[in-house]
Amino acid sequence: MNKIVEKLETWKDIFIKNIPNIAIALVVLIIAYFASRAMNSIVNRTIGKRIRQKSVRDLVSRVASAITILVGLYLAMTVLKFDDTLKTIVSAAGVSGIVIGLALQGTLSNTISGVVLSFRKNLNIGNWVETNGYAGEVIDINLNYFVIREADNNMVVLPNKTILENPFKNYSLTTKMRISIQCGVEYGADLKKVEKLTTETIRKNFNQDEIGKKVEFYFTEFGDSSINFLCRFWVDSENALEKLKAKSNAIIQIKQAFDKEGINIPFPMRTLEFVPNNKLNLSQVKENQDSEKEESLENV
């Protein structure tokens, strides 16, 4: 019993002796708490103009707040002269962190990729992108996944890691797109007239002079039933849907211009030749078909 009393007396003396240090440590922790809240708000406002994803903003602000708390805790433990205890905690946290990191490698990879994607200037919500075999409007860049809405209104959810590690095409980074039209005309057509009519039709309907671009026209090959050509021009567009509409309009305008001038766009043709003195007996063919039907019915 006396030993217990002596031990309690010793602890009391140590406590009284360390009251100033305990008071300083409490003050440091209180300051760290309010500083972490202020840091959360400041970081949220600072990065709010650059990151549109709320989840990512919250993550970054919480990390900054947690770092502030940890710094305050470190200072408080230093004031209380708990250096040895602090080293033990840090060592244990390091080992635990390695184990947790290995277990959650895929999730952490996607999370870090989401943060990196949020800071990229060439990829934002609302852009029309094509990546990993999918194309559509970027709806959300979350901490773990990337959401694309395709033209058919289907949502595609992709892991952030696949977006970061694979190339993607962003149609919204430029305000102009080049469109290619391939067509063919009959062999008897006036090729100079075809070229002039096509380029004038495109230039008149798509304002190439205002865009500052020229219409390109090239005959490409002698096809099976037509002489084929390629026409390329530019439009003001930031997504694939506008490009598709412009291409459809160009096809309509070229077809109308060709019809007006009597220029024919041929369809594939095949020539059949019959060997002389070898007449095709249609009645015999019909009899053979009827006999085959009768045999199939008998087998049933």
Side-chain angles (χ1 to χ4, degrees):
M1 187 67 182
N2 292 331
K3 291 182 179 180
I4 296 176
V5 174
E6 290 177 1
K7 193 66 174 178
L8 292 175
E9 289 289 340
T10 303
W11 286 355
K12 183 184 72 171
D13 294 338
I14 294 174
F15 177 75
I16 294 173
K17 183 180 178 180
N18 287 286
I19 285 178
N21 292 338
I22 295 174
I24 295 173
L26 289 174
V27 171
V28 170
L29 289 176
I30 293 172
I31 293 175
Y33 170 75
F34 287 103
S36 67
R37 295 187 60 180
M39 182 64 71
N40 192 332
S41 178
I42 292 171
V43 172
N44 216 329
R45 286 200 308 269
T46 302
I47 67 176
K49 298 179 181 179
R50 299 188 58 186
I51 303 178
R52 300 175 60 182
Q53 294 77 25
K54 184 177 182 301
S55 58
V56 178
R57 291 201 306 267
D58 291 342
L59 174 66
V60 176
S61 60
R62 286 171 183 171
V63 169
S65 178
I67 291 174
T68 305
I69 288 288
L70 290 176
V71 170
L73 183 60
Y74 172 78
L75 293 175
M77 295 187 71
T78 302
V79 170
L80 294 174
K81 299 179 181 180
F82 288 165
D83 297 342
D84 295 336
T85 304
L86 182 62
K87 291 179 182 179
T88 304
I89 293 174
V90 171
S91 300
V95 175
S96 301
I98 294 174
V99 175
I100 294 173
L102 292 175
L104 300 177
Q105 185 177 2
T107 302
L108 292 176
S109 177
N110 283 324
T111 301
I112 295 173
S113 299
V115 175
V116 174
L117 288 174
S118 298
F119 281 98
R120 297 187 71 166
K121 295 182 180 180
N122 55 3
L123 184 63
N124 292 300
I125 291 178
N127 291 164
W128 189 278
V129 301
E130 181 178 335
T131 180
N132 293 279
Y134 301 97
E137 181 184 1
V138 179
I139 300 299
D140 188 21
I141 305 176
N142 214 310
L143 288 179
N144 294 315
Y145 53 84
F146 187 94
V147 183
I148 295 177
R149 181 169 62 194
E150 294 185 300
D152 56 3
N153 205 36
N154 286 325
M155 299 293 181
V156 181
V157 180
L158 300 169
N160 289 329
K161 183 180 178 181
T162 62
I163 304 297
L164 194 63
E165 293 181 348
N166 292 285
F168 64 89
K169 182 188 293 185
N170 192 340
Y171 291 93
S172 302
L173 292 180
T174 56
T175 58
K176 295 181 178 63
M177 290 188 182
R178 187 165 67 177
I179 297 176
S180 299
I181 300 290
Q182 295 185 11
C183 188
V185 293
E186 61 185 352
Y187 273 87
D190 185 346
L191 299 186
K192 290 292 184 181
K193 182 179 180 182
V194 170
E195 178 179 358
K196 182 179 179 181
L197 180 61
T198 303
T199 53
E200 288 182 352
T201 300
I202 296 298
R203 188 181 300 111
K204 180 176 64 175
N205 288 279
F206 294 95
N207 299 322
Q208 297 299 286
D209 296 333
E210 294 181 5
I211 297 176
K213 300 290 184 178
K214 293 183 179 180
V215 180
E216 299 180 27
F217 185 95
Y218 309 99
F219 286 105
T220 56
E221 63 176 350
F222 292 98
D224 293 337
S225 39
S226 64
I227 298 178
N228 300 325
F229 66 83
L230 169 67
C231 180
R232 298 192 297 195
F233 61 97
W234 294 81
V235 294
D236 288 322
S237 175
E238 295 183 5
N239 60 60
L241 183 59
E242 294 177 4
K243 180 180 179 181
L244 189 63
K245 291 180 180 179
K247 187 173 184 178
S248 175
N249 186 27
I251 292 174
I252 294 174
Q253 298 299 331
I254 291 174
K255 179 65 168 60
Q256 289 178 348
F258 282 5
D259 290 344
K260 186 176 180 181
E261 295 296 327
I263 298 175
N264 183 33
I265 301 176
F267 50 85
M269 294 180 292
R270 296 289 182 271
T271 301
L272 301 178
E273 295 185 2
F274 296 97
V275 179
N277 301 325
N278 188 5
K279 297 181 180 180
L280 181 64
N281 192 338
L282 297 180
S283 60
Q284 183 64 34
V285 172
K286 188 175 185 303
E287 291 177 0
N288 293 335
Q289 291 177 348
D290 292 339
S291 62
E292 289 178 358
K293 290 181 179 179
E294 291 176 359
E295 291 178 359
S296 62
L297 291 174
E298 290 177 357
N299 293 331
V300 173

